[in-house]
Amino acid sequence: MQLACAGAAGTTQRSIRQIVTKAGMQARMQAVSTWLTSGARPPGSPPTL
């Protein structure tokens, strides 16, 4: 269920971002979104022992 919700949220986020972003800025917006999402993963992951 979590995977399905995450997939739907990602699709919705991309669609909205494409609607509100000018054509010339699409790649930059995608890069920033990927950077922010990927950058949040290491601090949010549990420590391994």
Side-chain angles (χ1 to χ4, degrees):
M1 184 61 139
Q2 182 181 4
L3 185 58
C5 290
T11 302
T12 304
Q13 177 192 27
R14 271 189 303 277
S15 297
I16 292 171
R17 190 172 58 239
Q18 287 175 349
I19 291 169
V20 301
T21 305
K22 294 179 183 178
M25 297 295 287
Q26 292 283 337
R28 288 183 184 188
M29 286 297 291
Q30 178 62 35
V32 169
S33 177
T34 301
W35 181 75
L36 289 172
T37 303
S38 298
R41 288 182 186 157
S45 63
T48 56
L49 300 174

